[in-house]
Amino acid sequence: MAEPQSPLHDVAVAGGAAAAEFVSPGGAVRMCELPFLGHFHLRGAPDDAKFLSQVKAALGCALPLTPNTTAAGEAGGVLWLGPDEWWILTAAGGRAEVLQSLEKAVAGMFASLIDQSPGHTVIRIIGEGDGEPARNLLRSGCTLDLHPEHFPPGRCAQTVFAKTNVTLLPAEDEKNRWRCDLVVRRSFADHLWRWLEEGAAGVDGGG
Amino acid sequence: MLLIPCPWCGPRDQSEFSYGGQAHIVRPAEPAALGDGEWADYLFMRDNPMGAHREQWCHSGGCRRWFNVKRDTVTYRILAVYKIGESGGEGEGGGGAP
């Protein structure tokens, strides 16, 4: 079987790295791709206690029922997408196992589970310093209020970003830097990457 | 540009939404029993009020849910937002009571 290829394969090859990477000229914005993560799309009734408990057992965390919030379990992150719709993002390594345990959890139930992993990728934006240049970059692509007070870690938001549908996932990394993961459809990844690369040059230095 | 309060996601920019026309239009129970005029009325004829209008919107760039909005067509002020299946308060407005 052929090796899977990330939608940003060409960017990675041009940069001589395993995955696409980018640092803005002034160093304020870093960007990299997180390829081959597991993206599992789950639908089911939020008022079905059996569905909720079995999925919770499989994931190691309860499905978030509050709009636009996330949960973190042993299997990975769980994102609220709609009142009966969730995304489970898992590390590239454990994809098959997580999918299998989810399949078992919802078997025979009024639920739907779809493996969307090959259809999506994640672009991670890391803001150096106070993160403001990185947020300014994202602000020029969408209309959300990205201030950490309004959009703190633990939230997620689906929006239209640079003319394509993107899910934003803010977080703080181990070096206390603000970062945001952008989940994007495979066919738009190249467009979004180049849009961000070009935009990042303009927001260095906080302006 | 409208700031539309999605019942799930809160206020979002209009660019994230799709418009779905007048709300609360009920499909006739027995279409075969209708005359051409009544059928055309159901299919094509819509209210065009100056003032409160009940309409459907979909948060297509966000949570992808359909919901109802009561909007003033003169001031563009959004008077109420409610989920599909809810009545949205008093029955006044373009679409009539559900």
Side-chain angles (χ1 to χ4, degrees), chain B residues 35-96:
Chain B
D36 285 350
E38 290 162 307
W39 186 244
D41 192 50
Y42 159 69
L43 279 187
F44 305 117
M45 302 310 282
R46 297 292 178 261
D47 294 336
N48 184 21
M50 197 171 132
H53 186 225
R54 286 169 188 270
E55 49 201 28
Q56 308 174 98
W57 285 83
C58 180
H59 194 191
S60 45
C63 63
R64 294 177 300 286
R65 296 307 120 157
W66 283 97
F67 58 96
N68 298 311
V69 172
K70 185 176 161 193
R71 182 178 62 93
D72 192 308
T73 58
V74 179
T75 62
Y76 277 53
R77 183 182 293 275
I78 289 173
L79 306 168
V81 170
Y82 52 102
K83 295 173 184 174
I84 296 289
E86 293 177 352
S87 70
E90 75 283 22
E92 69 193 55

Side-chain angles (χ1 to χ4, degrees), chain A residues 62-74:
Chain A
L63 289 172
L65 297 176
T66 310
N68 299 306
T69 58
T70 63
E74 298 139 30

Side-chain angles (χ1 to χ4, degrees), chain A:
Chain A
M1 206 173 81
E3 284 291 303
Q5 199 173 75
S6 136
L8 296 174
H9 176 77
D10 290 350
V11 179
V13 168
E21 283 176 355
F22 172 78
V23 183
S24 64
V29 181
R30 290 171 177 280
M31 207 158 79
C32 62
E33 190 202 5
L34 309 179
F36 314 127
L37 298 188
H39 298 243
F40 306 126
H41 184 258
L42 177 68
R43 291 196 74 170
D47 49 7
D48 181 347
K50 191 180 166 209
F51 167 75
L52 292 182
S53 68
Q54 294 203 190
V55 172
K56 183 178 176 181
L59 292 176
C61 70
L63 289 172
L65 297 176
T66 310
N68 299 306
T69 58
T70 63
E74 298 139 30
V78 189
L79 283 63
W80 183 98
L81 293 185
D84 57 1
E85 206 176 337
W86 297 268
W87 240 349
I88 294 118
L89 299 190
T90 67
R95 251 167 73 172
E97 292 75 18
V98 175
L99 184 61
Q100 222 171 24
S101 66
L102 274 170
E103 267 172 359
K104 241 184 253 167
V106 301
M109 250 185 269
F110 185 68
S112 125
L113 175 68
I114 301 168
D115 181 3
Q116 297 183 330
S117 313
H120 292 96
T121 194
V122 174
I123 296 175
R124 173 165 287 180
I125 310 280
I126 300 169
E128 295 287 356
D130 62 358
E132 203 55 20
R135 281 192 291 276
N136 280 338
L137 169 61
L138 297 187
R139 280 173 187 134
S140 53
C142 70
T143 56
L144 295 177
D145 185 349
L146 297 175
H147 193 280
E149 224 168 82
H150 298 278
F151 195 48
R155 295 278 304 277
C156 64
Q158 304 162 85
T159 189
V160 179
F161 188 102
K163 297 184 184 174
T164 181
N165 289 82
V166 167
T167 304
L168 286 91
L169 205 56
E172 198 172 274
D173 72 3
E174 62 285 350
K175 294 181 188 162
N176 294 327
R177 295 178 299 187
W178 184 85
R179 75 159 195 237
C180 192
D181 289 348
L182 274 57
V183 188
V184 63
R185 289 200 176 103
R186 180 182 183 91
S187 51
F188 283 94
D190 188 66
H191 154 73
L192 185 63
W193 181 272
R194 286 169 206 281
W195 189 97
L196 289 164
E197 257 188 10
E198 208 172 300
V203 295
D204 266 332

